[in-house]
Amino acid sequence: MRSHEIDYRIIGEDIQVVEIELDPNETVIAEAGAMLFMEEGIQFETKMGDGSQPNQGFMGKLFQAGSRLLTGESLFMTHFTNRGYGKRKVAFAAPYPGTVMPIDLAKIYGNQLIVQKDAFLCAALGTQMAIHFNQRIGTGLFGGEGFILQKIQGDGMAFIHAGGVVMERQLNNEMLRVDTGCVVGFEPSISFDIQRSGGLKSMVFGGEGIFLATLRGTGKVWIQSMPISKLVDRLSPGGGQARKEGGSVLGGLGNLFED
């Protein structure tokens, strides 16, 4: 096994935390600022890159770390290592309320997982983080957060954060249409695209958005009920009220077009 083998437990329900138990010399990598607490004996170091290729040259590390800037993440990652003699714990909290998903990459198709750009929380050392461009032009123009994704690769545990409740769906040569911001991640065997939500009237007055994410193929898909973009929209002045009135972004004008 290339990745470090770590033990963990998920704490909480609505706002979850992942507590990871490290044996001596075991390491977990995490996004900067995600650490909640760490016990005596845990040492942390900020490094450029994920540490999955220790013999990689400086330019390779710089390119790998620089690609993270395109996803809106920090150039650096924090490595937490147990330098003590016994088991020690370190915990990580997500940046906003939601669910922490433990993913065993060894059980994922191709040992790879494609996730939204802000979904990664932490993982066992040996896990590789890379940028993943969706090459479909429709996704690039209209997908927003669906255009630039992250690819997580390895054979150990990775922890993904999502907003609200998370649903896992198994597609068997099927198609699923989802709100563009509600896709957390999917296996690489799944095709991801952005398509129109329907006819002109439905697109303008339906309140479901002009475009929807289309997931097609065979594999696992994870969906979140409350992405951070939707939460911010609801909390912003007039954000929720506009949707209540007429069920669309045009407010009460939508009622003029009812059948």
Side-chain angles (χ1 to χ4, degrees):
M1 194 171 188
R2 185 165 53 89
S3 299
H4 285 196
E5 188 172 359
I6 58 177
D7 299 315
Y8 72 93
R9 68 170 179 146
I10 305 296
I11 303 173
E13 297 181 2
D14 297 329
I15 304 177
Q16 294 187 327
V17 171
V18 56
E19 181 185 78
I20 295 177
E21 185 177 72
L22 298 176
D23 291 330
N25 297 317
E26 282 186 343
T27 300
V28 61
I29 61 174
E31 288 291 354
M35 191 271 293
L36 178 62
F37 73 81
M38 57 182 176
E39 294 182 341
E40 183 180 3
I42 300 288
Q43 295 184 7
F44 68 93
E45 184 179 2
T46 300
K47 296 184 179 182
M48 186 180 296
D50 53 39
S52 60
Q53 302 179 45
N55 298 324
Q56 188 180 43
F58 174 77
M59 292 306 297
K61 293 180 180 179
L62 182 62
F63 176 79
Q64 182 190 61
S67 66
R68 285 171 45 81
L69 294 177
L70 296 177
T71 67
E73 304 294 351
S74 170
L75 185 67
F76 300 92
M77 299 188 74
T78 309
H79 295 228
F80 296 84
T81 304
N82 180 6
R83 299 301 186 188
Y85 294 100
K87 295 179 181 292
R88 295 291 186 269
K89 296 177 181 178
V90 57
F92 303 95
Y96 56 91
T99 302
V100 176
M101 301 162 41
I103 304 291
D104 187 351
L105 294 174
K107 298 179 180 179
I108 298 296
Y109 176 82
N111 298 141
Q112 297 181 16
L113 184 66
I114 310 301
V115 300
Q116 292 286 7
K117 59 185 181 181
D118 60 349
F120 174 74
L121 183 61
C122 59
L125 180 65
T127 304
Q128 183 176 1
M129 306 291 302
I131 192 170
H132 176 81
F133 284 107
N134 196 311
Q135 299 178 354
R136 293 179 180 272
I137 187 170
T139 307
L141 292 176
F142 307 113
E145 59 271 81
F147 177 45
I148 299 178
L149 304 166
Q150 288 188 88
K151 180 173 68 175
I152 304 175
Q153 185 173 1
D155 58 4
M157 294 299 303
F159 300 88
I160 309 302
H161 177 258
V165 177
V166 175
M167 297 178 60
E168 178 181 315
R169 295 289 301 268
Q170 172 67 46
L171 301 185
N172 297 302
N173 196 24
E174 298 172 294
M175 186 265 285
L176 186 67
R177 306 180 77 185
V178 185
D179 183 297
T180 53
C182 292
V183 178
V184 181
F186 49 90
E187 292 183 316
S189 56
I190 296 293
S191 173
F192 178 55
D193 197 7
I194 300 294
Q195 297 182 354
R196 292 191 314 173
S197 60
L200 179 61
K201 180 180 176 182
S202 297
M203 291 170 60
V204 176
F205 301 110
E208 300 300 334
I210 298 177
F211 299 94
L212 293 174
T214 301
L215 301 157
R216 193 188 308 269
T218 298
K220 293 181 180 178
V221 173
W222 289 267
I223 304 168
Q224 58 186 345
S225 65
M226 183 58 69
I228 185 61
S229 57
K230 184 177 291 187
L231 178 61
V232 171
D233 178 64
R234 287 289 184 174
L235 295 178
S236 63
Q241 188 65 23
R243 291 182 178 270
K244 288 181 180 179
E245 296 178 357
S248 76
V249 293
L250 297 184
L253 291 178
N255 295 330
L256 299 178
F257 293 83
E258 290 183 350
D259 293 332

